[in-house]
Amino acid sequence: MAQKRVAAIHDISCFGKCSLTVALPILSAAGIECTVLPTAVLSTHTGGFTGYTFRDLTEDVKPIADHWKSVGIGFDAIYSGYLGSFEQLKLVGDFYDEFRGKDTLVITDPVMADNGKLYASFAKDFPQGMAKLCEKSDIIIPNLTEATLMLGEEYPGDDYDRNYIEKLLKRLSSLCRGKVVLTGVSFEEGKLGSASYDSTTGDYGYAFADKIDGYYHGTGDVYGSALVAAILKGKPLSDAIGIAVDFTVESIARTKAAGTDIRFGVDFEESLPNFMKNVGISAK
Ligand code: PXL
């Protein structure tokens, strides 16, 4: 069978294990080719570090895409994450239009907010721009904050139930092309996970694990990359969210046990063998 190929459009934060430095190894471990379109190079990610370098690569996005087009490169999926400006949103939307083939899955993680707050580096109207990019996406992966910001709704905090989440998932499915994974969902003290909805089948899915206290940077991208890999390996959405939750939580637990600085990213590498087994890769 032909190897699957993903175009991953994120920044490279050289240190701190997020965006492209996690998408590459995780997709590769699943046997998927990960073609990278770096939107910026930073010495570290922006979460908790000061004085980091930042080289914007916005100007390079279109020439790289044009060259790929001239070579005739196609993608089974396009996966975008952290994008830093309206101009980048526009360029990535154009990339989706240009490279969407008959069977290409377009997956957008609208990274921009958490815990009820837009990240400090984004303008107040950024969520509307991100919602436009989601309109072009087959699958979106917001957390509860990003979901409510894009829908222009109030953030519920911890005050919600299953009925609220299922209605929210339906509204989100109208914002995109029909499949939604909502992260950071909890119905029970001490448990945290994800919910999914596929509007083509009407199926909801849930995956929960024991909640680990502390905010570990880059875990959204570890989760998103594992999810994209599991979907491309043919797992139904409701199974893919479980594989991604287990992989992420196992990685966080190991990192917490090691006492690592929470800004440094999680030790997902040790979990790759288990992840590979779960997506159907076996040593021959
Ligand atoms: O997706 C997380 C992420 C990616 N890239 C950069 C970031 C962050 C989170 O803060 O700062 C540059």
Side-chain angles (χ1 to χ4, degrees):
M1 202 166 76
Q3 187 183 20
K4 295 269 168 83
R5 181 186 297 127
V6 175
I9 312 177
H10 306 244
D11 63 279
I12 298 182
S13 292
C14 300
F15 178 81
K17 294 203 262 190
C18 66
S19 45
L20 283 183
T21 66
V22 307
L24 260 169
I26 294 170
L27 286 159
S28 295
I32 295 160
E33 178 184 349
C34 181
T35 305
V36 298
L37 211 177
T39 53
V41 181
L42 296 87
S43 51
T44 66
H45 61 70
T46 64
F49 293 106
T50 53
Y52 49 81
T53 69
F54 175 83
R55 185 170 300 278
D56 185 22
L57 297 178
T58 302
E59 270 182 33
D60 293 44
V61 170
K62 188 161 177 349
I64 290 172
D66 288 348
H67 182 229
W68 289 352
K69 202 76 200 171
S70 76
V71 176
I73 299 169
F75 300 103
D76 298 288
I78 306 168
Y79 165 40
S80 79
Y82 185 96
L83 299 170
S85 64
F86 283 98
E87 195 181 351
Q88 288 195 347
L89 289 176
K90 165 84 172 73
L91 283 164
V92 173
D94 291 347
F95 185 94
Y96 288 177
D97 294 340
E98 192 63 36
F99 284 90
R100 184 194 293 280
K102 192 168 61 61
D103 298 316
T104 307
L105 265 185
V106 175
I107 303 162
T108 299
D109 186 350
V111 181
M112 60 187 166
D114 207 359
N115 285 318
K117 280 207 201 87
L118 194 62
Y119 295 147
S121 53
F122 291 113
K124 257 195 143 7
D125 51 352
F126 194 77
Q128 285 145 261
M130 187 56 93
K132 285 227 159 322
L133 188 64
C134 287
E135 279 174 20
K136 294 176 185 262
S137 310
D138 299 296
I139 305 175
I140 59 172
I141 322 172
N143 60 32
L144 206 46
T145 306
E146 290 153 352
T148 50
L149 279 170
M150 287 195 293
L151 290 166
E153 298 178 7
E154 203 172 319
Y155 175 64
D158 297 330
D159 186 20
Y160 58 81
D161 58 11
R162 186 177 286 250
N163 182 43
Y164 168 85
I165 292 297
E166 296 193 350
K167 289 198 166 126
L168 183 72
L169 283 165
K170 271 203 168 158
R171 293 196 290 280
L172 287 165
S173 72
S174 307
L175 201 77
C176 66
R177 295 181 171 213
K179 291 185 188 165
V180 180
V181 172
L182 186 65
T183 60
V185 176
S186 178
F187 295 135
E188 195 187 330
E189 186 87 27
K191 297 273 180 199
L192 184 68
S194 312
S196 65
Y197 176 63
D198 179 345
S199 69
T200 58
T201 58
D203 287 343
Y204 292 98
Y206 290 98
F208 294 103
D210 288 340
K211 182 174 180 196
I212 304 170
D213 286 331
Y215 181 83
Y216 285 82
H217 283 278
T219 50
D221 297 333
V222 169
Y223 178 90
S225 302
L227 182 80
V228 171
I231 292 168
L232 282 184
K233 294 303 285 181
K235 303 292 176 191
L237 198 57
S238 54
D239 292 348
I241 62 171
I243 292 171
V245 164
D246 291 348
F247 177 60
T248 308
V249 170
E250 209 181 289
S251 304
I252 296 172
R254 179 180 307 105
T255 309
K256 185 164 178 126
T260 312
D261 188 323
I262 59 163
R263 299 173 303 172
F264 289 9
V266 293
D267 177 0
F268 67 86
E269 290 88 340
E270 278 275 327
S271 290
L272 285 172
N274 211 11
F275 167 69
M276 290 165 72
K277 210 161 51 196
N278 289 339
V279 295
I281 303 269
S282 58
K284 299 244 171 46

